[in-house]
Amino acid sequence: MLAIPVASAGAATKVVTMGPSAKDAKTINKIGAAAGGLTDVNDFFPHGTTIHVGDSVSFRPDGFHTVNLLARGGSPLPLIVPTGQTISGVLDAAGNPFWFNGRPALGFNPALLASNLGKRVTYNGSKAVESGLPLSAKPKPMVVKFTKAGTYTYFCNVHAGMKGVVTVKAASKSIPSAAADRKARAAQVKRDIAIAKGLPSIAPPANTVHVGSAGKDGVEFFGMVPSTTTVPVGTTLTFAMTSPSREVHTATFGPGNPLTEPTSYLGQIEAGNNDPRELLPSDPPGTIASLTPTLHGNGFWNAGAMDTVAATPLPSSNAVTFSQAGTYTFYCLIHPFMKGTVVVQ
């Protein structure tokens, strides 16, 4: 299972996929599809890679992920940052200003727009290397040549907690063979499939809806749990992320399906560029709004972007009171295929 290359063998390149490979993703996605969502894994495959000094790793985009190799003592680039602008003039459907007018605007980090995908770069630990976001239709790998022995942890900027390790050894040291790497990757996929199968059935506490369901090792179910909740009038429901999720989700009520109706109210918010109505709660933090079909003029309520990471300004949950009978549909505006229903009687 181990191979010691001879000096004449030359530099080699190993492949790490950013997320499961397309073939493995199909198998993993089907598990969640049976429960009305999908399942995926926010991890690198294989999670750990060992190479020789002078060898390269081809980081292949197989999902919406990045690779951030840090400078010594550095930290991963954050996904959401202040834009330097102030929010102003954002009104609800009734013509009233939202609470966040006058507050600093948040947006996706522009530093992640500069791309090294499709390029060859070198890395020795002294200067950070960032792949950038895979925004093209068919993004190409970033190939990184490692020129100094050591153990290097790298991160995905989109999914906090998603990381992998490259161990770089001297040419005289043994490293795993290609067969051993394939075996490790297969074991990782098998483990993740077993975790994924249990996620849709994890019941939340009373009066709580899980926005997604997370397991160990970056395995995530993209769906609302439960998909339908029935409560009496006057019930307060909490919409919560689950630990140890590496995702960012919203729980958003309002007119329109953001996935199929792009001109609807929710469709326009979802399609907007850093729209504060998507990233920020619709009502001031610490308050519990009363949801009816006329809230904010059209039944709009948004939990805002949520995650489970203490280092970010995002909350991990939000709550709203259902004050009128009816059927209320909600979505994640970041993953608009995630849909749930609250029936109020």
Side-chain angles (χ1 to χ4, degrees):
M1 300 297 285
L2 297 177
I4 303 177
V6 296
S8 61
T13 299
K14 290 192 174 186
V15 175
V16 170
T17 59
M18 300 153 68
S21 69
K23 178 182 177 181
D24 291 331
K26 287 183 179 180
T27 302
I28 295 169
N29 292 165
K30 288 179 181 178
I31 297 169
L38 66 82
T39 36
D40 203 355
V41 185
N42 291 322
D43 200 0
F44 298 96
F45 291 77
H47 181 79
T49 305
T50 303
I51 61 174
H52 287 120
V53 171
D55 287 350
S56 299
V57 175
S58 177
F59 292 99
R60 191 180 75 196
D62 274 278
F64 198 72
H65 305 291
T66 67
V67 167
N68 190 180
L69 286 152
L70 306 182
R72 191 174 295 109
S75 299
L77 293 174
L79 176 63
I80 297 175
V81 296
T83 65
Q85 299 178 330
T86 300
I87 301 170
S88 64
V90 184
L91 307 180
D92 66 15
N96 299 313
F98 282 102
W99 68 273
F100 42 69
N101 284 285
R103 304 295 179 98
L106 298 177
F108 295 104
N109 193 340
L112 300 178
L113 300 179
S115 179
N116 276 317
L117 295 172
K119 299 178 181 179
R120 292 179 175 270
V121 298
T122 60
Y123 178 76
N124 62 12
S126 63
K127 184 179 179 180
V129 168
E130 169 61 54
S131 70
L133 294 167
L135 298 177
S136 64
K138 295 182 178 180
K140 296 181 179 180
M142 176 181 70
V143 181
V144 182
K145 181 179 180 179
F146 290 80
T147 58
K148 186 177 180 180
T151 300
Y152 304 101
T153 301
Y154 58 93
F155 300 84
C156 173
N157 308 103
V158 180
H159 303 97
M162 176 175 167
K163 58 187 178 181
V165 178
V166 176
T167 302
V168 184
K169 294 186 175 183
S172 60
K173 302 293 184 179
S174 298
I175 64 172
S177 65
D181 289 340
R182 287 193 296 270
K183 184 176 180 180
R185 182 190 294 266
Q188 186 177 346
V189 171
K190 182 178 179 181
R191 177 203 66 192
D192 293 344
I193 288 173
I195 295 171
K197 289 179 178 178
L199 294 182
S201 61
I202 297 176
N207 294 332
T208 299
V209 175
H210 282 162
V211 185
S213 183
K216 294 175 59 179
D217 302 307
V219 186
E220 307 259 358
F221 170 63
F222 291 76
M224 307 301 181
V225 184
S227 59
T228 300
T229 302
T230 301
V231 296
V233 171
T235 299
T236 298
L237 286 180
T238 297
F239 296 84
M241 301 289 290
T242 61
S243 180
S245 178
R246 299 173 181 174
E247 281 294 335
V248 178
H249 295 306
T250 77
T252 312
F253 295 79
N257 183 328
L259 187 63
T260 61
E261 300 172 332
T263 61
S264 67
Y265 188 80
L266 293 189
Q268 293 180 60
I269 294 175
E270 189 272 334
N273 183 21
N274 296 333
D275 192 319
R277 294 174 297 175
E278 176 180 3
L279 298 177
L280 295 172
S282 57
D283 296 270
T287 65
I288 298 180
S290 177
L291 181 55
T292 70
T294 60
L295 178 64
H296 291 297
N298 60 356
F300 176 64
W301 181 82
N302 186 18
M306 303 180 291
D307 67 16
T308 63
V309 183
T312 74
L314 304 181
S316 60
S317 65
N318 207 336
V320 66
T321 299
F322 291 83
S323 301
Q324 184 173 324
T327 299
Y328 299 79
T329 302
F330 64 102
Y331 302 87
C332 170
L333 293 184
I334 299 172
H335 309 94
F337 58 86
M338 293 176 60
K339 176 183 177 181
T341 303
V342 178
V343 179
V344 183
Q345 299 177 335

